[in-house]
Amino acid sequence: MPRFMTLIRINEQDRADWESDPEFDQRMGALFQQITQAGVMLETATLTPTAEGTRVTWHGGKVGHTDGPFTETKEVIGGYAVLQCKDHAEALEWTRRFLQAHSVKWNVEAEVRQIADQPAQ
């Protein structure tokens, strides 16, 4: 079965304004239980803020790095999930359900892409 990477994009400046939603943990817990029981979820995690990250670049034959925060970037990857689904449509459905578990006051975006499987060497 194909695997899909779901990249969760957020605006870190908005994150500070997110109000605590007491039912959020319940909704997310129920969804994670369903997705795990369905055998779809392979891995998921929230990422630390960009202030704790480093970007490594390769330009003109030289490696460089920049420590966060990355203030010039409006949207950043705040988390990810690796799903194993029968097809792209199923991956989109689980991602839709994930986004709907969030508060209506939050702005969250997800990018769903199939992982290109490489033949064994």
Side-chain angles (χ1 to χ4, degrees):
M1 262 202 301
R3 294 173 298 143
F4 296 86
M5 170 73 75
T6 302
L7 302 170
I8 308 304
R9 297 185 189 277
I10 62 167
N11 181 329
E12 280 189 321
Q13 287 77 30
D14 290 348
R15 188 180 209 168
D17 296 333
W18 289 358
E19 296 177 21
S20 178
D21 178 353
E23 288 121 23
F24 173 72
D25 289 337
Q26 293 173 342
R27 290 190 306 269
M28 198 57 71
L31 176 63
F32 279 11
Q33 184 176 15
Q34 292 169 0
I35 198 168
T36 301
Q37 287 176 344
V40 171
M41 179 67 72
L42 299 179
E43 182 178 347
T44 188
T46 300
L47 301 176
T48 59
T50 61
E52 300 174 30
T54 302
R55 285 190 180 157
V56 182
T57 58
W58 174 255
H59 292 288
K62 296 184 181 185
V63 174
H65 66 73
T66 305
D67 292 330
F70 310 121
T71 55
E72 73 281 359
T73 304
K74 183 175 180 176
E75 292 179 348
V76 299
I77 298 172
Y80 71 93
V82 178
L83 310 176
Q84 188 166 25
C85 301
K86 64 183 178 197
D87 55 25
H88 191 256
E90 183 183 17
L92 289 176
E93 174 60 21
W94 283 111
T95 302
R96 180 192 64 76
R97 292 177 64 186
F98 170 79
L99 292 176
Q100 287 179 323
H102 290 75
S103 169
V104 296
K105 297 178 182 178
W106 298 4
N107 293 316
V108 183
E109 180 179 305
E111 179 179 339
V112 179
R113 296 172 59 187
Q114 186 170 343
I115 297 172
D117 289 323
Q118 299 295 317
Q121 303 262 337

